[in-house]
Amino acid sequence: MKLFLFLIFCSAASYSIHAQSRSEVLLETTEGNIRIALYDETPRHRENFLNLVHNHFYDSLLFHRVIPNFMIQGGDPTSRKAQPGQSLGEGDIYYTIEPEFRLPKIYHRRGVVAAAREGDDINPEQRSSGCQFYIVWGKTYSTVDIEKVQQRLDEKNNHRIQLTQEQIQTYRKIGGTPHLDGQYTVFGEVVEGLDVVDRIQHKDTDDYDRPIYDVRIIRASVVKE
């Protein structure tokens, strides 16, 4: 397990080498610290996230939705004072954000940060939530699995999204959620604390995918801008 995590960290570090000048945010959680670099390639999402952090929006909010081998999600403002067992995820702020898809360079590999959103049936423009976000964990994929994902993408997007060899190799060796590519805006990546994300995604949850014992963002702060 330690070797596996080491390989993940090495891969993430090599990918992030060009992110040294990017803005960074620190999430201090009840499970440990997660440091996030925000992509310059998605300026609307970057500036929105920085603004919310500067205004202490995320302080005391929960990771209210946790699905093993998929992702951890937070940012629901109603989670701050939520009662045990309360269903969460519907809270938001008064605006949405135009999508900023940056395929094939930026995609849903393990450790990236993306904006949650309403489904296509009521949100055909695929606009992002103004505040809710998720951190990808995902899983690794076999060649056959990748072919099935590509078929799903072809059917949903009329062959508009084609996974590159780089994406395929990343999903095979490191993991992620390729079926979300081109559907949700990825706007950052975890540069420290991927082990914390791993720990959170293994938490026991209730029927609403909410951790039975609260996992809270104690404080969010901009550490580099």
Side-chain angles (χ1 to χ4, degrees), residues 84-154:
Q86 178 182 338
S87 175
L88 298 169
E90 297 301 318
D92 216 322
I93 47 183
Y94 63 91
Y95 61 85
T96 57
I97 306 171
E98 184 179 346
E100 295 179 291
F101 304 138
R102 297 294 182 260
L103 292 173
K105 180 179 180 181
I106 297 173
Y107 51 94
H108 278 80
R109 64 183 179 80
R110 179 168 293 168
V112 298
V113 183
R117 65 173 179 83
E118 297 283 1
D120 290 356
D121 53 339
I122 60 174
N123 179 29
E125 295 180 348
Q126 300 179 327
R127 295 181 66 88
S128 300
S129 162
C131 58
Q132 290 203 37
F133 68 95
Y134 60 93
I135 302 176
V136 171
W137 187 261
K139 64 178 184 179
T140 55
Y141 288 75
S142 68
T143 300
V144 172
D145 290 335
I146 288 290
E147 289 174 353
K148 291 179 180 178
V149 170
Q150 184 63 70
Q151 289 175 1
R152 287 175 60 186
L153 291 172
D154 289 345

Side-chain angles (χ1 to χ4, degrees), residues 57 61 75-81 91-93 131-132:
F57 177 87
L61 298 190
D76 180 345
T78 66
S79 71
R80 182 173 284 109
K81 298 181 180 180
D92 216 322
I93 47 183
C131 58
Q132 290 203 37

Side-chain angles (χ1 to χ4, degrees), residues 4-90:
F4 176 64
L5 289 174
F6 174 75
L7 290 173
I8 292 174
F9 296 150
C10 287
S11 299
S14 63
Y15 184 94
S16 305
I17 191 168
H18 299 298
Q20 294 176 357
S21 64
R22 290 172 173 159
S23 299
E24 294 185 3
V25 167
L26 182 67
L27 303 181
E28 300 172 58
T29 83
T30 50
E31 293 296 321
N33 293 347
I34 302 171
R35 191 179 180 109
I36 295 169
L38 304 177
Y39 294 145
D40 294 333
E41 295 88 343
T42 52
R44 288 185 289 270
H45 286 74
R46 177 196 62 205
E47 293 308 309
N48 178 69
F49 199 71
L50 288 172
N51 182 61
L52 292 175
V53 172
H54 276 306
N55 285 284
H56 306 286
F57 177 87
Y58 292 110
D59 295 2
S60 298
L61 298 190
L62 301 179
F63 280 105
H64 64 272
R65 183 172 179 239
V66 171
I67 302 178
N69 301 315
F70 184 34
M71 59 89 219
I72 65 174
Q73 183 171 334
D76 180 345
T78 66
S79 71
R80 182 173 284 109
K81 298 181 180 180
Q83 297 300 307
Q86 178 182 338
S87 175
L88 298 169
E90 297 301 318

Side-chain angles (χ1 to χ4, degrees), residues 191-206:
V191 292
E192 291 179 16
L194 199 58
D195 57 325
V196 178
V197 178
D198 186 21
R199 191 154 57 244
I200 295 172
Q201 63 108 18
H202 278 110
K203 292 295 181 182
D204 292 333
T205 57
D206 62 18

